Amino acid sequence: ETAILFARDTPRLALGAALLFAAPRRSVVTLQQRRDPRADGQLGLAAALQNIVERGEAATLDEAQTVLSQRGHAASLQKLVDSGEAATLDEASKLAGQRARAASLQKLVDSGEAATLEEAQQVLSRSGHQAALQGVVERGDAATLEEAQVLHSQRGRAAALQKLVDSGDAATLEEAS
């Protein structure tokens, strides 16, 4: 006889891409083999990446991963348009970004890193700023985080001045200063 097995109630033994479920049955243990869905997904991903490379859409598996990610992102945006949640792909992109940000903030609150969504916003902002400074150091533009902060501030000021010139509010950078 075959017993109906529930994964939550059954001990498992992992063997490669398969799981063996031991089902207690009147002093007899029946073993049934089931595929591990995570392994199936990994095999499917590897095959999809390899197909992208073989079709010449990417030179390497890393590039194929980028192509696949871009396709998935485009599909998710199109789904928002198709469902009527967004009128255009640009609007869908903004909506997806807002939802991702809201989820990030909520995750910080849920994890206890922030007490409120406002505090989570500050935590996220600080961590983003620190990451930007670390990037300046890693690129070799600055030797320390303090130097990176000075450089970051200078670049921010230069960008703000350039924006004034570009908008026509000032004729030159000197006038914008």
Side-chain angles (χ1 to χ4, degrees):
E1 293 180 42
T2 303
I4 296 176
L5 302 176
F6 295 98
R8 67 179 183 276
D9 301 326
T10 309
R12 293 174 284 225
L13 175 64
L15 296 174
L19 289 177
L20 291 179
F21 290 84
R25 188 89 163 135
R26 289 193 206 134
S27 75
V28 175
V29 175
T30 306
L31 293 179
Q32 294 183 343
Q33 187 173 1
R34 299 277 189 257
R35 299 275 307 158
D36 181 356
R38 290 173 303 196
D40 287 343
Q42 291 168 352
L43 293 173
L45 174 62
L49 295 176
Q50 188 61 42
N51 288 339
I52 290 170
V53 171
E54 288 173 1
R55 285 192 305 265
E57 297 174 51
T60 65
L61 291 175
D62 285 340
E63 288 177 20
Q65 179 64 56
T66 301
V67 169
L68 195 61
S69 294
Q70 289 169 342
R71 285 182 186 165
H73 180 68
S76 69
L77 296 181
Q78 187 62 51
K79 187 175 180 182
L80 289 173
V81 172
D82 293 345
S83 71
E85 293 182 67
T88 65
L89 289 174
D90 283 342
E91 189 179 318
S93 182
K94 289 175 187 172
L95 180 60
Q98 291 168 347
R99 288 179 178 176
R101 181 147 187 89
S104 294
L105 296 175
Q106 189 60 52
K107 186 176 178 182
L108 288 171
V109 172
D110 293 345
S111 71
E113 292 181 58
T116 65
L117 291 174
E118 292 77 19
E119 187 180 329
Q121 171 61 44
Q122 292 172 347
V123 168
L124 199 58
S125 179
R126 279 192 300 268
S127 67
H129 182 71
Q130 279 302 112
L133 295 179
Q134 188 62 42
V136 171
V137 171
E138 289 174 5
R139 282 192 309 272
D141 294 342
T144 65
L145 290 175
E146 291 78 17
E147 281 182 37
Q149 176 60 50
V150 170
L151 186 59
H152 189 69
S153 295
Q154 291 170 346
R155 288 178 178 170
R157 178 164 166 69
L161 295 175
Q162 186 62 50
K163 187 174 182 180
L164 287 172
V165 172
D166 293 345
S167 69
D169 291 338
T172 64
L173 289 175
E174 293 76 26
E175 184 182 322
S177 310

